[in-house]
């Protein structure tokens, strides 16, 4: 099997499309560039398909490398038969490859190894052969200085047979199938830890049992966390009779053989000591890997929605990080998000300087020409919102409540210290809240995605896979929107196709020294930004009000000549062609195909010319909570309330209804009928109407329904 056949088994497309994609990847083309500007070569594969091809190609290379290592090891042992070599070379199932390697794997000295050293392998072969030999009598022939009697000889021989059964590929594969279908996950509480306060959140797993294949990902991850924290023990079990039936069928060939009792003892020993620990652990790890994938998918989906949340745009914003005793940290930002002014006000208890705080806010709104106010959704958020809405401003000022998730992580980060070396963490946190309203994508890329807190069990899943997936999501989002090269931070620039962290630094340094970029060609003057990086990056950066109007669009510079020819053929300028739907409608796309850009590329150019530089994100909308609901004490069963979806999990979504505790809408309560995927019904930051089903003040839990 070659890499194209391996990839084709999962990605449904032609050999030609896979070959073209792999060629582009080998030429250091990025996934955003390939999926956006090389559609004609790849057969219009989208970025998810291109990402899959890249991942599978890497996976294929890793399997090939592993096989080469295994073949070399077995060959060095002098045990590589032509048949074994062929089996390993033909297999692309890592589990099967590892099973084939198992007998030759270096391991600690086993009971079977000791028995072999004591000359008992011939006796083991007699037991496994199941002939009519009287092995009890023959065992006396194997007594020596290390084997004192026939019982020891038979015991050693059975240990060898047990190891052979453990290494039998048919046995292992059959048991895997059984465990995958019928394994039960069982949990028992660790009694000495049961009374600890931290254990109580896992109390439902103190004595739990269910089919592993039916355990939802969030439940399995919760059990594993409880075990890692020492509160429970997890076991994987199957029906013991069915297990032995499977092994017996594969191993026992002659039930009447005198050696049958010894063979059955070896089977029992092999299962209990070798097969069950290995296969049960393998099954649990496989279930964990699937749960990880599900949790990572949920997190990645949420992150994508969060990054692509509607921006307010370039507005002057007053941002507030609310608080009681320590006061509310207020900052004023200009259209570009630069800090103009900061102050702390104390409108709430214990100071209650409400009148003075109102006066200061009104003064700041007027002095800095503020157009919108952003309030963090943490402690004292609702009280601050009510306070702000009581102020009689001289003009209309929109008020937004903004998620604070990860703001404290940003404010203490190296990026924040570099941006605001002369301000403390409280000011930096307020700036982050304001900038999130202006452009969530530009601000959130500065924070480690795990710290944004939208998902489930993100700290329990495979951290390498999580980071890879989240980085992929950030790259996808940044490049789908495009960025203003003259205002983008180093963090945002580093995610642009073809631009890494070092090049992003160089762009910012060049911009500081030479002023704003006037056209895309000028990007080539940035130190260490070569032709390849320019090709990959140019179309994903925007230059507003630059020399060339196409520089503020997603049209790639390699296609500028085509657009100029289109305008020339229509006897108008490029400026007159842009956004001129009538003139664009007259263009015959096939006339402009060349070696690099085919019909799909030309059609994309025409779409872009109609709405150049269009931001795919919607506009930010003001949301208002129920003014009568401020704390959990105000929430009553049966209430119908407005809310904002602030987290999505596999089992439902959490909705902010304006109190500190978010309410849960279980997946079964999203709508009438069966729901397989929460994202089919709701999106992050969606405005929804919910009905209160249950309120548990002591446990601070609110159950909601969207079936009203």
């Amino acid at each position: 099997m070659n890499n194209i056949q391996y990839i084709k088994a999962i990605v449904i497309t032609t050999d030609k499309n896979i070959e073209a994609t792999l060629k582009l990847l080998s030429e250091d083309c990025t996934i955003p560039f390939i999926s956006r500007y090389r559609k004609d070569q790849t057969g219009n594969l989208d970025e998810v398909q291109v990402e899959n091809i890249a991942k599978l190609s890497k996976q294929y290379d890793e399997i090939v490398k592993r096989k080469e290592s295994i073949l070399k090891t077995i060959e060095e042992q002098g045990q590589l038969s032509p048949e074994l070599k062929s089996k390993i070379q033909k297999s692309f199932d890592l589990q099967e490859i590892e099973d084939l390697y198992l007998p030759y794997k270096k391991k600690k000295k086993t009971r079977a190894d000791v028995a072999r050293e004591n000359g008992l392998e011939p006796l083991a072969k007699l037991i496994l052969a199941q002939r009519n030999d009287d092995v009890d009598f023959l065992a006396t022939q194997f007594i020596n200085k290390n084997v004192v009697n026939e019982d020891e000889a038979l015991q050693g021989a059975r240990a060898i047979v047990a190891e052979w059964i453990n290494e039998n590929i048919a046995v292992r594969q059959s048991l895997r199938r059984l465990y995958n279908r019928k394994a039960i996950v069982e949990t028992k509480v660790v009694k000495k830890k049961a009374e600890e306060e931290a254990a109580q959140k896992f109390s439902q797993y103190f004595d739990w049992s269910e089919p592993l294949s039916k355990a939802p990902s969030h439940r399995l991850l919760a059990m594993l966390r409880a075990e890692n924290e020492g509160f429970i023990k997890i076991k994987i079990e199957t029906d013991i009779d069915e297990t032995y039936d499977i092994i017996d069928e594969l191993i026992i060939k002659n039930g009447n053989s005198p050696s049958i009792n010894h063979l059955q003892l070896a089977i029992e020993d092999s299962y209990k000591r070798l097969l069950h620990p290995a296969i049960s652990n393998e099954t649990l790890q496989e279930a964990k890997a699937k749960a990880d994938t599900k949790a990572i998918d949920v997190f990645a989906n949420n992150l994508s929605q969060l990054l692509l949340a509607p921006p307010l745009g370039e507005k002057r914003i007053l941002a507030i990080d609310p608080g009681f005793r320590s006061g509310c940290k207020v900052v004023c930002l200009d259209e570009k998000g630069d800090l103009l002014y900061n102050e702390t006000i104390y409108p709430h208890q214990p100071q209650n300087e409400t009148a003075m705080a109102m006066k200061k806010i009104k003064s700041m709104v007027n002095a800095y020409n503020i157009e919108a106010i952003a309030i963090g959704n943490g402690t004292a958020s609702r009280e601050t919102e009510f306070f702000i809405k009581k102020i009689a401003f001289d003009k209309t000022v929109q008020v937004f409540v903004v998620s604070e998730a990860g703001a404290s992580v940003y404010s203490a980060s190296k990026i924040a210290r570099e941006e605001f070396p002369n301000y403390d963490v409280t000011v930096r946190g307020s700036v982050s809240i304001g900038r999130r309203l202006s452009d969530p994508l530009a601000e959130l890329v500065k924070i480690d995605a795990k710290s944004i807190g939208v998902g489930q069990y993100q700290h329990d899943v495979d951290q390498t896979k999580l980071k890879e997936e989240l980085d992929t999501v950030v790259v996808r989002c940044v490049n789908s929107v495009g960025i203003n090269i003259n205002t983008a931070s180093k963090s945002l620039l580093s995610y642009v196709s073809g631009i890494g962290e070092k090049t992003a630094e160089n762009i910012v340094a060049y911009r500081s020294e030479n002023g704003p970029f006037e056209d895309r060609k000028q990007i080539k003057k940035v130190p260490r930004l070569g032709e390849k990086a320019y090709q990959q990056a140019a179309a994903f950066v925007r230059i507003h009000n630059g020399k060339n109007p196409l520089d503020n669009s997603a049209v790639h510079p390699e296609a500028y000549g085509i657009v100029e020819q289109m305008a020339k053929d229509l006897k108008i300028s490029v400026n007159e062609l842009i956004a001129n739907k009538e003139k664009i409608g007259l263009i015959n796309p096939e006339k402009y195909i060349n070696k690099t850009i085919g019909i799909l590329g030309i059609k994309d150019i025409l779409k872009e010319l109609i709405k150049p530089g269009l931001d795919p994100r919607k506009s930010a909308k003001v949301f208002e909570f129920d003014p009568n609901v401020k704390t959990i004490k105000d929430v009553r069963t049966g209430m119908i309330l407005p809310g904002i979806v602030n987290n999505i999990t596999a089992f439902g979504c959490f909705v902010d209804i304006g109190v500190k505790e978010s309410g849960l809408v279980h997946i079964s309560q999203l709508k009438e009928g069966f729901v397989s995927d929460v994202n089919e019904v709701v999106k992050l930051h969606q405005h929804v109407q919910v009905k209160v089903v249950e309120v548990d003040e002591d446990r601070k839990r609110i159950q909601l329904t969207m079936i009203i």
Side-chain angles (χ1 to χ4, degrees):
M1 182 187 285
N2 61 28
N3 60 347
I4 291 171
Q5 291 167 324
Y6 182 80
I7 292 165
K8 201 177 172 184
I10 296 166
V11 179
I12 302 167
T13 188
T14 65
D15 291 12
K16 183 184 170 188
N17 292 345
I18 295 170
E19 276 179 39
T21 304
L22 291 173
K23 184 172 184 293
L24 288 163
L25 288 165
S26 72
E27 292 167 355
D28 293 328
C29 292
T30 66
I31 291 166
F33 176 80
I34 293 168
S35 57
R36 180 72 175 80
Y37 297 106
R38 290 297 180 261
K39 288 181 178 179
D40 293 285
Q41 283 95 313
T42 67
N44 203 19
L45 296 179
D46 63 29
E47 53 195 7
V48 174
Q49 290 169 304
V50 177
E51 282 162 13
N52 277 340
I53 289 172
K55 281 179 192 171
L56 290 165
S57 178
K58 185 181 173 187
Q59 205 176 86
Y60 177 86
D61 291 342
E62 285 169 357
I63 292 172
V64 169
K65 194 175 175 184
R66 179 64 180 149
K67 289 203 291 185
E68 286 170 356
S69 170
I70 286 170
L71 287 167
K72 186 182 175 188
T73 303
I74 301 172
E75 193 167 26
E76 284 170 354
Q77 293 173 12
Q79 304 210 53
L80 186 61
S81 67
E83 185 190 7
L84 178 59
K85 185 177 181 179
S86 174
K87 280 180 180 175
I88 292 171
Q89 285 176 333
K90 283 178 182 175
S91 178
F92 276 85
D93 179 339
L94 259 181
Q95 215 166 49
E96 183 181 43
I97 293 163
E98 294 297 340
D99 280 350
L100 289 164
Y101 177 46
L102 186 61
Y104 312 96
K105 209 173 193 175
K106 286 181 182 174
K107 45 188 178 277
K108 290 178 185 174
K109 188 178 270 194
T110 64
R111 294 183 197 177
D113 290 333
V114 174
R116 283 191 192 93
E117 288 171 5
N118 292 334
L120 297 172
E121 190 162 345
L123 183 59
K125 285 179 178 175
L126 287 172
I127 292 172
L128 194 61
Q130 301 166 60
R131 294 196 294 264
N132 293 322
D133 305 294
D134 184 347
V135 291
D136 290 277
F137 170 73
L138 291 172
T140 58
Q141 298 175 21
F142 293 89
I143 295 170
N144 56 45
K145 63 176 183 178
N146 295 320
V147 181
V148 297
N149 56 40
E150 56 266 39
D151 281 345
E152 266 195 29
L154 289 163
Q155 194 176 358
R158 290 197 300 267
I160 296 171
V161 175
E163 193 169 271
W164 285 338
I165 294 167
N166 177 54
E167 292 167 355
N168 185 304
I169 290 177
V171 169
R172 293 179 78 87
Q173 289 179 340
S174 297
L175 288 186
R176 276 193 196 106
R177 284 193 289 271
L178 173 69
Y179 277 65
N180 287 335
R181 285 184 294 113
K182 296 187 176 181
I184 302 294
V185 56
E186 294 179 359
T187 66
K188 294 288 178 193
V189 68
V190 176
K191 287 181 180 174
K192 65 179 181 181
K193 304 266 284 183
E195 300 306 315
E196 289 184 22
E197 190 180 336
Q200 298 317 302
K201 61 183 174 182
F202 301 114
S203 57
Q204 77 179 92
Y205 305 118
F206 284 0
D207 187 12
W208 183 265
S209 175
E210 69 176 312
L212 182 60
S213 62
K214 292 183 179 176
S217 61
H218 61 274
R219 198 146 68 220
L220 180 60
L221 290 171
M223 289 183 225
L224 289 165
R225 181 186 285 183
E227 184 179 51
N228 288 337
E229 293 183 16
F231 300 125
I232 64 168
K233 291 284 184 187
I234 294 177
K235 280 198 308 183
I236 302 297
E237 298 291 350
T238 55
D239 183 281
I240 196 73
D241 292 331
E242 191 172 355
T243 304
Y244 282 135
D245 286 347
I246 287 170
I247 303 173
D248 289 352
E249 194 175 327
L250 291 164
I251 299 299
I252 297 174
K253 306 301 178 194
N254 178 9
N256 297 317
S257 167
S259 64
I260 191 66
N261 289 339
H262 294 294
L263 186 59
Q264 284 176 328
L265 285 170
I267 287 170
E268 191 176 323
D269 176 41
S270 181
Y271 176 69
K272 287 181 178 175
R273 185 168 56 86
L274 303 170
L275 283 163
H276 176 65
I279 304 290
S280 63
N281 182 57
E282 201 179 274
T283 306
L284 182 59
Q285 290 311 310
E286 200 173 295
K288 160 92 166 51
K290 286 177 184 172
D292 282 3
T293 300
K294 179 72 176 170
I296 290 168
D297 285 348
V298 167
F299 199 115
N301 205 323
N302 286 352
L303 179 63
S304 178
Q305 291 177 39
L306 201 61
L307 293 174
L308 296 177
L312 187 64
E314 295 185 356
K315 307 276 186 187
R316 290 191 157 231
I317 294 169
L318 182 146
I320 306 173
D321 184 356
F324 289 115
R325 184 175 296 278
S326 58
C328 297
K329 311 299 183 292
V330 184
V331 296
C332 295
L333 309 174
D334 69 11
E335 295 88 346
K336 291 180 180 177
D338 291 334
L339 179 60
L340 300 171
Y341 180 76
N342 76 92
E343 185 168 343
T344 303
I345 58 172
Y346 300 90
H348 311 308
Q349 58 185 356
Q351 294 91 341
N352 290 318
E353 296 172 1
T354 311
M356 186 187 295
M358 280 185 172
K359 189 177 177 183
K360 284 182 177 180
I361 292 288
K362 191 170 181 179
S363 173
M364 282 184 262
V365 166
N366 291 333
Y368 297 102
N369 198 20
I370 297 299
E371 298 165 89
I373 294 175
I375 302 167
N377 69 341
T379 305
S381 175
R382 291 305 306 284
E383 291 81 358
T384 304
E385 183 190 358
F386 289 126
F387 154 72
I388 289 293
K389 287 182 175 177
K390 286 177 185 172
I391 302 172
F393 293 112
D394 298 333
K395 60 177 181 177
T396 302
V397 179
Q398 291 181 301
V399 179
F400 297 84
V401 175
V402 178
S403 170
E404 287 183 11
S408 59
V409 174
Y410 161 77
S411 60
S413 70
K414 184 186 173 195
I415 294 171
R417 290 195 300 274
E418 286 172 355
E419 284 192 298
F420 301 104
N422 302 320
Y423 294 93
D424 67 17
V425 291
T426 59
V427 174
R428 295 172 197 159
S430 301
V431 171
S432 183
I433 289 166
R435 286 176 171 177
R436 287 175 189 213
L437 175 60
S438 174
D439 190 340
L441 178 62
E443 191 60 21
L444 291 173
V445 293
K446 298 174 186 175
I447 303 167
D448 177 9
K450 277 193 303 183
S451 304
I452 297 172
V454 283
Q456 57 186 46
Y457 299 101
Q458 58 263 36
H459 301 291
D460 300 286
V461 302
D462 185 314
Q463 296 300 293
T464 303
K465 286 182 181 172
L466 177 65
K467 187 178 186 315
E468 283 174 2
E469 189 59 37
L470 298 186
D471 282 349
T472 299
V473 167
V474 178
V475 167
R476 196 187 300 160
C477 292
V478 169
N479 290 285
S480 70
V481 171
I483 59 109
N484 182 341
I485 196 169
N486 286 322
T487 59
S489 66
K490 181 179 73 178
S491 305
L492 187 58
L493 280 164
S494 67
Y495 285 105
V496 172
S497 165
I499 296 175
E501 201 172 320
K502 186 63 190 166
T503 308
E505 276 180 28
N506 292 345
I507 290 171
V508 172
Y510 181 90
R511 195 172 67 194
S512 299
E513 197 175 319
N514 301 282
F517 290 91
E518 294 181 349
D519 62 27
R520 279 173 171 164
K521 283 185 287 187
Q522 195 183 345
I523 300 168
K524 292 182 183 180
K525 294 181 181 177
V526 172
R528 301 177 73 179
L529 197 153
E531 278 295 329
K532 191 70 188 182
Y534 176 76
Q535 180 203 43
Q536 300 301 302
F540 297 102
V541 300
R542 308 278 184 269
I543 296 172
H544 298 177
N545 305 314
K547 291 178 180 177
N548 189 331
L550 293 174
D551 285 349
N552 194 31
S553 74
V555 175
H556 198 285
E558 67 187 8
Y560 283 8
I562 292 172
V563 177
E564 286 159 8
Q565 188 60 51
M566 288 173 175
K568 189 177 177 183
D569 292 347
L570 289 165
K571 297 183 171 56
I572 56 174
S573 68
V574 170
N575 257 331
E576 290 169 317
L577 177 62
I578 290 172
N580 189 332
K581 202 170 180 180
E582 188 184 333
K583 291 289 185 186
I584 293 166
L586 299 173
I587 295 170
N588 174 12
E590 293 188 8
K591 185 181 173 184
Y592 300 96
I593 293 169
N594 63 26
K595 286 180 183 177
T596 307
I597 304 169
I599 190 68
L600 297 171
I602 300 296
K603 285 181 177 178
D604 274 353
I605 290 166
L606 295 177
K607 277 184 205 165
E608 184 62 22
L609 289 174
I610 290 170
K611 292 179 177 178
L614 179 71
D615 192 322
R617 299 170 292 178
K618 294 175 182 175
S619 300
K621 289 180 182 174
V622 172
F623 174 86
E624 291 189 5
F625 292 112
D626 187 312
N628 300 311
V629 175
K630 300 172 190 174
T631 71
I632 195 169
K633 293 183 185 298
D634 302 323
V635 182
R636 298 280 179 271
T637 303
M639 277 183 164
I640 294 175
L641 301 168
I644 300 175
V645 177
N646 63 1
N647 197 4
I648 292 174
T649 69
F651 54 84
C653 69
F654 288 91
V655 176
D656 183 355
I657 55 171
V659 301
K660 190 177 178 183
E661 298 77 18
S662 292
L664 172 66
V665 181
H666 189 265
I667 190 167
S668 62
Q669 296 298 309
L670 289 168
K671 67 171 189 177
E672 298 281 4
F674 177 72
V675 175
S676 61
D677 182 1
V678 179
N679 279 289
E680 290 172 2
V681 185
V682 291
K683 299 295 178 192
L684 217 55
H685 288 171
Q686 183 176 328
H687 299 177
V688 294
Q689 288 282 109
V690 291
K691 184 177 181 180
V692 180
V693 176
E694 187 184 335
V695 184
D696 185 338
E697 272 190 56
D698 294 334
R699 295 169 74 197
K700 296 183 178 178
R701 289 186 179 179
I702 304 167
Q703 295 288 333
L704 305 170
T705 180
M706 284 171 55
I707 304 169
I708 301 172

